[in-house]
Amino acid sequence: KVTELVLDNCRSSNGEIEGLNDSFKELKFLSMANVELTSLAKLPTLSKLRKLELSDNIISGGLDVLAERCPNLTYLNLSGNKIKDLGTVEALQNLKNLKSLDLFNCEITKLEDYRDSIFELLQQITYLDGFDQEDNEAPDSEDEDEEEGDEDDDDEDENEAGPPGEYEEEDDEDEGGSDLGEGEEEEVGLSYLMKEEIQDEDDDDDYVEEGGDEEEEAEGVRGEKRKRDPEDEGEEEED
């Protein structure tokens, strides 16, 4: 049931990886980068394999095995191997479904008219080293597109959750706050405090006005006492 298998940086023994055999009938992606492979002679039959990563090995030939064991390959990465001439690559003509081929850091890339020669030799391929004949970059793989589609679906589910407009208002408030500098935030805080003080003073005035009559009466009583005091003193002197 395994469809993807990554064996990068493992070590091959006599041109094979221990445990990799014909039982992986559902395998669609296999990566064996930097495993010191010198040959593909012991590669198992993987009829459903679509993508094969063989970069940074010591492969110099014997590519005709791929058409026999992995006839449905669409992507093949042979970068960093010992492939030197077009005759070695010619064996890939039998991979009728091959669309993308990578030969980075192979000696063959130093040949004159390397790209034109490969596209002429392997007319079934669309991309060589990540670019087509018109130097247009290859799109992302189908697997990556599917993953991105799943992430987009998750984002849509999150947006649909909760009452509409609730999160938008919060975002607007955050954006509004982010537009203000530190100085502006302090000014807003001071003005807010000033308003509170003004309101407190107004409240105090209201309180004074409500008790104003009582204070006036008290002042009147004190005034009468002051007026009476001299008279009382005079009466006391006469006595």
Side-chain angles (χ1 to χ4, degrees):
K1 294 182 179 180
V2 176
T3 58
E4 297 186 7
L5 184 60
V6 177
L7 301 172
D8 298 350
N9 303 314
C10 296
R11 287 292 172 263
S12 64
S13 177
N14 297 323
E16 65 178 344
I17 297 290
E18 184 178 355
L20 181 62
N21 51 49
D22 296 347
S23 65
F24 290 88
K25 297 183 181 300
E26 301 298 319
L27 204 60
K28 295 181 179 180
F29 174 82
L30 174 61
S31 182
M32 294 191 296
N34 190 32
V35 298
E36 297 184 354
L37 271 181
T38 57
S39 169
L40 297 175
K42 297 184 178 181
L43 185 70
T45 299
L46 304 168
S47 59
K48 292 188 177 182
L49 196 67
R50 298 288 185 273
K51 299 180 68 174
L52 179 58
E53 293 270 0
L54 295 171
S55 59
D56 300 320
N57 284 292
I58 319 171
I59 299 168
S60 59
L63 300 183
D64 53 320
V65 173
L66 292 173
E68 300 173 8
R69 314 279 174 84
C70 311
N72 292 307
L73 278 182
T74 60
Y75 172 83
L76 176 61
N77 188 349
L78 290 167
S79 59
N81 279 278
K82 303 296 182 181
I83 298 170
K84 300 179 180 180
D85 53 60
L86 293 174
T88 303
V89 178
E90 187 176 2
L92 300 177
Q93 287 179 332
N94 294 325
L95 287 171
K96 303 300 182 183
N97 296 316
L98 190 64
K99 299 299 180 187
S100 181
L101 174 64
D102 282 348
L103 294 170
F104 283 119
N105 297 324
C106 292
E107 290 187 41
I108 191 174
T109 60
K110 298 178 182 178
L111 295 178
E112 186 176 357
D113 297 328
Y114 152 69
R115 287 181 60 81
D116 291 339
S117 299
I118 294 293
F119 277 117
E120 184 178 353
L121 185 65
L122 305 175
Q123 297 186 6
Q124 77 274 32
I125 70 171
T126 305
Y127 300 100
L128 176 61
D129 301 334
F131 293 87
D132 64 12
Q133 284 182 279
E134 298 177 353
D135 290 333
N136 296 314
E137 190 172 1
D140 294 335
S141 67
E142 293 179 1
D143 293 339
E144 291 174 349
D145 291 339
E146 289 176 2
E147 290 176 2
E148 291 176 0
D150 293 340
E151 291 176 1
D152 293 338
D153 292 340
D154 293 340
D155 293 338
E156 290 176 4
D157 292 339
E158 290 177 3
N159 292 334
E160 291 175 1
E166 183 174 334
Y167 298 103
E168 293 178 0
E169 291 178 2
E170 293 179 1
D171 292 341
D172 292 340
E173 291 176 2
D174 293 340
E175 290 176 1
S178 62
D179 291 337
L180 293 174
E182 293 181 358
E184 292 176 343
E185 288 178 357
E186 290 178 0
E187 290 178 4
V188 171
L190 289 173
S191 62
Y192 179 76
L193 292 174
M194 292 292 290
K195 288 180 181 178
E196 282 193 343
E197 290 177 2
I198 292 169
Q199 290 176 356
D200 291 343
E201 290 176 1
D202 292 343
D203 293 342
D204 293 342
D205 293 343
D206 293 342
Y207 177 78
V208 170
E209 289 176 2
E210 290 176 1
D213 295 339
E214 295 178 359
E215 290 182 0
E216 288 177 0
E217 291 177 0
E219 289 178 357
V221 171
R222 286 196 294 271
E224 289 178 1
K225 286 182 179 180
R226 292 193 189 99
K227 291 178 181 179
R228 290 175 184 173
D229 287 345
E231 295 176 358
D232 295 341
E233 290 174 0
E235 291 174 359
E236 289 174 1
E237 289 175 359
E238 291 177 358
D239 293 340

